[in-house]
């Protein structure tokens, strides 16, 4: 029998139980996966705590890497023995084995490890669509990136530097400022101590930045809008500090700002869309973008990983080994 983290009620990390599960056989269009590494993301916390409602009992988690053990009828995109990764779809990644739609799988090249894949599927694909589609950054531009020492942030800093951008990044401590700087952040700002909007204006000579990438939310919302240049774009893609307030049109009007709330789900809605951003990520890894896996836990110890993530004690990516 396989095991999985199962929740029977939503709440704190203590609701997660490591239990035996019945996986079943792959149906038409599905595969049975033997998972090797599972990625940890803040969306997992929302699923566990009740931020997102689930039909209980349920497993949680949105990304993993593993090997195809069996294929159902009509599956042609992968075969038994293939190494694959995935992201999004139905929650349930916190498992030793699971059934998953074949069309959502991402074939893993030989030079991309399971650990790299599980540590970067959600975070790396998020960066891929943010800097290539939501606001295509050009060489010479200056951008503001919140949570620059986090999993998305460390990948984004490196990717943006390879484009040729100047990166201003906010972090929560001096230690995290050094982490961000080591990954390509030109101007790390400890936003819990310093006025990041004032610093952005100082760095840009009073012009502001053409884009803000915000995965933090409430704590940085007003300062982010104030940091934008005329016709700038506010990209609000997450809310680690709580939801941002409703957008007041008049706050955008003064500088003709744009506001967008993108997400990974639309960018992985089809196999073609998914492979486009995934292959771009793999290319950047080959060019030297490092997937920093700074915390590793056993799957059965997922509650400890959640406690560390919620306490903001983690940097880079965290993985759960199966």
């Amino acid at each position: 029998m396989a095991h999985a983290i199962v929740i029977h009620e939503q709440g704190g990390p203590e609701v997660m139980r490591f239990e035996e599960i019945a996986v079943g056989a792959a149906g038409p269009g599905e595969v049975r996966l033997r998972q090797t590494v599972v990625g940890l993301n803040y969306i997992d916390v929302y699923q566990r705590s009740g931020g997102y409602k689930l039909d209980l009992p349920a497993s949680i988690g949105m990304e993993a890497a593993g090997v195809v053990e069996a294929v159902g009828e009509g599956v042609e995109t992968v075969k038994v023995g293939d190494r694959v990764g995935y992201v999004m779809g139905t929650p349930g990644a916190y498992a030793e084995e699971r059934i998953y739609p074949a069309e959502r799988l991402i074939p893993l090249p030989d030079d991309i490890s399971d650990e790299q894949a599980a540590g970067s599927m959600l975070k790396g694909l998020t960066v891929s669509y943010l800097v290539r589609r939501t606001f295509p950054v050009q060489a010479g531009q200056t951008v503001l990136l919140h949570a620059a020492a986090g999993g998305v942030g460390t990948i984004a800093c490196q990717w943006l530097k390879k484009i040729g951008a100047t990166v201003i990044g906010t972090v929560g401590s001096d230690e995290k400022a050094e982490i961000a700087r080591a990954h390509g952040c030109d101007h790390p700002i400890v936003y819990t101590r310093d006025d990041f909007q004032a610093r952005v204006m100082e760095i840009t000579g009073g012009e502001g930045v053409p884009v803000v990438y915000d995965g933090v939310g409430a704590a940085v919302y007003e300062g982010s809008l104030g940091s934008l240049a005329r016709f700038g774009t506010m990209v609000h893609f997450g809310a680690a500090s709580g939801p941002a307030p409703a957008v007041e049109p008049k706050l955008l009007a003064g500088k003709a700002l744009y506001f967008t709330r993108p997400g990974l789900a639309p960018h992985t809605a089809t196999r073609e869309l998914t492979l486009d951003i995934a292959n771009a990520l793999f290319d950047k890894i080959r060019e030297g973008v490092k997937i920093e896996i700074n915390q590793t836990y056993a799957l059965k110890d997922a509650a400890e990983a959640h406690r560390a993530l919620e306490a903001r004690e983690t940097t880079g990516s965290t993985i759960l080994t199966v």
Side-chain angles (χ1 to χ4, degrees):
M1 292 286 285
H3 293 78
I5 295 291
V6 180
I7 61 171
H8 295 264
E9 60 181 337
Q10 292 180 297
E14 68 280 356
V15 303
M16 294 190 288
R17 304 177 189 174
F18 191 62
E19 299 180 352
E20 285 190 348
I21 59 168
V23 179
E30 296 178 333
V31 303
R32 178 168 172 151
L33 292 177
R34 174 176 56 81
Q35 304 200 137
T36 55
V37 188
V38 176
L40 175 71
N41 298 283
Y42 221 91
I43 191 173
D44 307 353
V45 173
Y46 299 148
Q47 293 169 358
R48 185 212 75 219
S49 64
Y52 294 157
K53 297 302 178 186
L54 302 178
D55 292 329
L56 302 175
S59 185
I60 62 174
M62 301 302 287
E63 68 175 344
V67 178
V68 176
E69 291 278 276
V71 300
E73 181 183 351
V75 173
E76 298 179 351
T77 53
V78 294
K79 64 184 185 301
V80 172
D82 282 356
R83 295 175 54 245
V84 294
Y86 67 83
V87 65
M88 303 303 287
T90 303
Y94 285 28
E96 293 174 341
E97 297 183 15
R98 75 175 298 192
I99 304 298
Y100 198 79
E103 281 297 311
R104 296 198 63 89
L105 293 173
I106 301 169
L108 296 182
D110 291 341
D111 57 352
I112 301 296
S113 70
D114 289 8
E115 290 77 12
Q116 286 176 310
S120 69
M121 284 287 104
L122 195 148
K123 301 175 184 69
L125 297 192
T126 294
V127 175
S128 186
Y129 81 70
L130 286 175
V131 304
R132 295 172 64 247
R133 290 185 180 166
T134 307
F135 185 95
V137 177
Q138 304 298 314
Q141 290 183 311
T142 299
V143 308
L144 173 59
L145 169 70
H146 291 301
V152 170
T154 52
I155 297 171
C157 284
Q158 297 174 80
W159 197 315
L160 289 164
K161 289 307 296 179
K162 289 194 174 296
I163 292 173
T166 296
V167 183
I168 305 172
T170 67
V171 295
S173 68
D174 289 319
E175 178 185 11
K176 289 189 174 183
E178 289 308 309
I179 291 169
R181 192 187 305 277
H183 288 83
C185 181
D186 300 280
H187 304 282
I189 301 169
V190 181
Y191 80 98
T192 53
R193 181 182 65 217
D194 300 325
D195 183 337
F196 74 83
Q197 180 182 339
R199 286 284 292 123
V200 168
M201 288 303 174
E202 178 185 343
I203 293 165
T204 61
E207 290 296 317
V209 293
V211 62
V212 175
Y213 293 112
D214 171 31
V216 173
V220 298
Y221 176 72
E222 291 187 8
S224 296
L225 289 177
S227 297
L228 284 166
R230 289 188 195 89
F231 319 120
T233 300
M234 172 74 168
V235 180
H236 176 60
F237 67 94
S241 70
V247 179
E248 284 284 350
K250 65 182 179 182
L251 294 179
L252 307 180
K255 291 190 285 187
L257 303 178
Y258 297 86
F259 185 101
T260 183
R261 182 33 171 119
L264 188 54
H267 293 89
T268 55
T270 69
R271 181 174 175 80
E272 291 73 24
L273 287 169
T274 303
L275 293 182
D276 176 66
I277 56 176
N279 288 332
L281 170 64
F282 297 154
D283 285 344
K284 280 292 178 287
I285 292 174
R286 294 183 184 105
E287 291 174 18
V289 169
K290 292 183 173 60
I291 307 303
E292 300 286 359
I293 299 170
N294 295 335
Q295 299 82 211
T296 300
Y297 296 83
L299 177 62
K300 64 182 179 62
D301 298 324
E304 295 180 27
H306 275 231
R307 291 187 183 100
L309 180 64
E310 289 184 275
R312 301 196 178 188
E313 295 172 355
T314 64
T315 58
S317 294
T318 300
I319 59 172
L320 309 174
T321 55
V322 179

